[in-house]
Amino acid sequence: MKNSIAALRRSHGYSQEELAKIVGVSRQTIISIEKGRYAPSLALAIRLTQHFETTIELVFTPE
């Protein structure tokens, strides 16, 4: 699954560690999501998109 988490994170000035703390996961989870190696649960995807005030459809797209 493709996503724009890295771009959103950088545009808001967050480190991977800061974003991980905000949404309640490890830094490794954020790294894995950004690299497309891990598809987040629906609950985590919602937390991420709510934090960035966007929608799941704009952040996550199937390959």
Side-chain angles (χ1 to χ4, degrees):
M1 178 176 296
K2 292 182 183 181
N3 69 75
S4 58
I5 294 297
L8 282 168
R9 177 182 58 75
R10 286 190 297 267
S11 72
H12 284 80
Y14 294 118
S15 68
Q16 290 170 331
E17 184 69 31
E18 290 169 327
L19 181 58
K21 286 180 183 178
I22 290 167
V23 297
V25 298
S26 70
R27 179 175 168 264
Q28 188 61 40
T29 298
I30 297 298
I31 291 168
S32 294
I33 292 169
E34 288 182 356
K35 292 185 177 203
R37 294 186 302 215
Y38 174 73
S41 67
L42 181 57
L44 178 53
I46 289 170
R47 284 197 308 272
L48 286 163
T49 56
Q50 284 178 335
H51 178 73
F52 291 121
E53 298 179 344
T54 188
T55 64
I56 288 176
E57 295 85 359
L58 292 176
V59 177
F60 295 96
T61 55
E63 291 188 84

